[in-house]
Structure formats: structure tokens, C-alpha cells
Amino acid sequence: MSDMMKAVEIATPGDADGLRLTDRPLPVPGYDQILIKIAYAGINRPDVLQRQGSYAPPPDASDLPGLEASGEVVGIGAGVTRWRVGDKVAALLPGGGYAEYAVCHGDHALAIPEGFDLREAACLPETSFTVWSNIVTRGGLQAGERFLVHGGTSGIGMMAIQIAHALGARVWATAGNDEKCAAIADLGATAINYRNEDFVKILREEGGADLILDMVGGSYIPRNIKTLANDGRLVMIAFLEGPKAEVNFAQIMVKRLNVTGSTLRPQSDAAKARIAESLREHLWPMLESGAVKVSIDSEFALKDAAEAHRRMESSGHIGKIVLKVADD
């Protein structure tokens, strides 16, 4: 194995042209870490924010973008007992996924679900950690409840729809055109075209939403609060429209609402390990049974990471965008 690897770095923070293919030293797994030879890496909105200079990696993480990947374990650090060299894994990374090799905590990797290939598996970690921890653990979604997710055709949105449906919830999702609404309907959810339909009115006519997963923020925040039923929960995971809004807190008090949110990357290794265990126990069986599937929009070569970012920023994608790192 060479001591150097190909990687995509953020040479100049800003637009997608700032991404550059380069050579980097091979990372070395530390205590409780594994070294993964990456086959595919998932593209996520936080990667775009990092490239733009607004989402710095943790101090001990790689400066390379990339929060999820699939591949083969090729190195084992001290303290790791779960994995062996040669195991195929899908891994949540603190950074560094846009490269031929990356390290991660051994407890943040999961076996490839039965029936999934490495391409599909690369789409799972960041998305499933985020969705499960926010709609199930934090949001407490129950069978029979009314669930609304914004950005229904993003990787997060499509995973959230399927998990909520598998849990027995009634599901609504927003999108901005007929093609995206059709994709939402194909997953068993009621689609709402936010360009010509009012999600507040639609959900209130149904009795209000029990849980909303929102990545838009901005003007959606007060509208979400109006949409919630008594004892409803609003979970924020991103702010595409910005994090600030004018909110009537009397509505929160009168309806006994719970407004919360989270980000995944800054959480402790122990917290992420707990999420991984929950995924192994609950979500992986849903994946292996076919109740939850991966929807892939497009694939790009590692050297074309800038084009992958442009695809994401266009908001035209339906499902996940992946980078192919290793040759077949």
C-alpha cells in the first residue's frame, strides 16, 4: 500500500471551483479507529457549507470534506475489536470522505446491509444517523401520528418518509415541482407542492402535524409552529433559508409544543456510537427487509466532485448524490 492517496481538498473556500484533486498522505488509524479503503462517498449539504467556509470541521478531524463512505477495512487501530481487515463497512466519518482512504471511529461503522451494494451503502451513514436520531430518538415519532418533512426529495427527506412510513405514521412531504411530488407519492407519502399549496392549511385540516422535520428554517419556522397540533414537536436540522425568524411564543405555550434540533458532526464519539447501535437494532432490519430503500440521483467520479456539488446546489436532485472513488 502506498503512503500517498488521491483526495479532493478545498483549495479555495467559496464556489465549487475551489475543490481540487490532490495527493495527500495516507491517514493512520489511531486508538479505536479503523482505516477504510473507500469505494464510494456520499455528498451532503454540510460538505457544501464546509466548501463555502461556513462549516468548519472539528479540530481533530480531517480538513477534507466527506461525512459518509463505504469500503473495505484495511487497517485496525489499537482498541478495535468489532472489525477485521477485509470487512466491508458503511461508515460515518468526521471528515475525509473525498479520498481513497479515510479513518473513523470503529463504533461509527456498520456492516453493509444484506442485499445492498457498496454504492447504495455509501448513501446510508450520514443520512440514517441524522434521520433516525432526530425523528425517532429526539422527535419520538409513533405509529398513527401525522409527520411532515420539508425537502421531501433530498436524501434526508426520502429516508425520513420511508422510516416514518415503516413506523406506521401518516406522512406528508413538501417539494417544489411535479416530478419531485411524484417521487414523494411513490414512497407512500402525500406530496405538497410548496409553490402552489399551503402546507399549513393542508395539515391543519388533518388535525395538525404531530412531528415536523425541517431543514429550511427562515420563514418556515413560524409556519411550522402554526402547523403543529397540540403537544406537537418541531425538530430543526438545517437552515437553508437562515436560522432567524419572528416567533409568537404564546402559540408554543398554549399548544404545549416542543421545539428542538440538533447537528450530528459535533456530537461526541459516545453519542454517535449509541446512534449506530440503535441503527443496527432497528433500522438495518428495515433496510434488509426492503421496507426502507436508498434512492440515488446521480454518480460522479472523485475528480468531478465540483460537478457533484453543482448538482446538489441546483436543488434538482431526487435522492442521494455519490462519488465513485475506487475503480471496479
Side-chain angles (χ1 to χ4, degrees), residues 49-281:
L49 294 176
Q50 181 177 336
R51 189 207 75 217
Q52 293 171 340
S54 58
Y55 191 51
D60 57 347
S62 169
D63 65 304
L64 300 174
L67 300 177
E68 62 183 353
S70 65
E72 179 181 348
V73 177
V74 294
I76 303 286
V80 175
T81 58
R82 184 186 298 274
W83 304 110
R84 297 289 182 269
V85 170
D87 287 342
K88 302 295 196 302
V89 297
L92 180 74
L93 307 174
Y98 291 17
E100 292 179 312
Y101 295 85
V103 294
C104 81
H105 194 289
D107 289 341
H108 302 168
L110 297 106
I112 306 298
E114 184 177 344
F116 279 64
D117 59 26
L118 287 168
R119 181 172 181 255
E120 294 168 320
C123 302
L124 291 172
E126 171 74 9
T127 302
S128 59
F129 273 70
T130 298
V131 173
W132 190 268
S133 63
N134 281 290
I135 73 170
V136 179
T137 305
R138 184 172 293 275
L141 185 63
Q142 300 292 318
E145 289 193 314
R146 296 176 294 271
F147 172 64
L148 170 65
V149 57
H150 296 299
T153 54
S154 65
I156 292 287
M158 298 185 88
M159 178 68 75
I161 289 169
Q162 294 180 85
I163 290 176
H165 192 265
L167 291 172
R170 298 173 60 196
V171 187
W172 287 259
T174 59
N177 61 47
D178 291 342
E179 181 186 8
K180 290 186 174 185
C181 286
I184 287 169
D186 286 344
L187 293 177
T190 299
I192 302 172
N193 189 328
Y194 63 78
R195 298 189 187 279
N196 52 38
E197 295 180 288
D198 182 1
F199 69 82
V200 180
K201 179 176 183 292
I202 290 171
L203 266 296
R204 290 183 70 169
E205 287 175 350
E206 296 287 339
D210 297 297
L211 176 66
I212 299 175
L213 182 68
D214 184 30
M215 58 196 86
V216 180
S219 65
Y220 274 43
I221 297 173
R223 296 177 68 198
N224 287 331
I225 289 171
K226 290 180 181 179
T227 303
L228 287 169
N230 288 344
D231 299 302
R233 292 92 67 198
L234 169 61
V235 181
M236 303 295 309
I237 58 169
F239 297 104
L240 296 177
E241 258 194 27
K244 297 181 180 180
E246 184 174 315
V247 174
N248 181 350
F249 271 74
Q251 294 175 336
I252 297 175
M253 294 170 61
V254 170
K255 294 200 289 183
R256 303 177 302 279
L257 305 181
N258 185 337
V259 179
T260 184
S262 74
T263 56
L264 180 61
R265 197 177 194 182
Q267 294 187 46
S268 70
D269 286 343
K272 293 173 186 174
R274 287 192 294 270
I275 299 171
E277 282 300 322
S278 188
L279 295 178
R280 284 188 189 94
E281 181 179 356

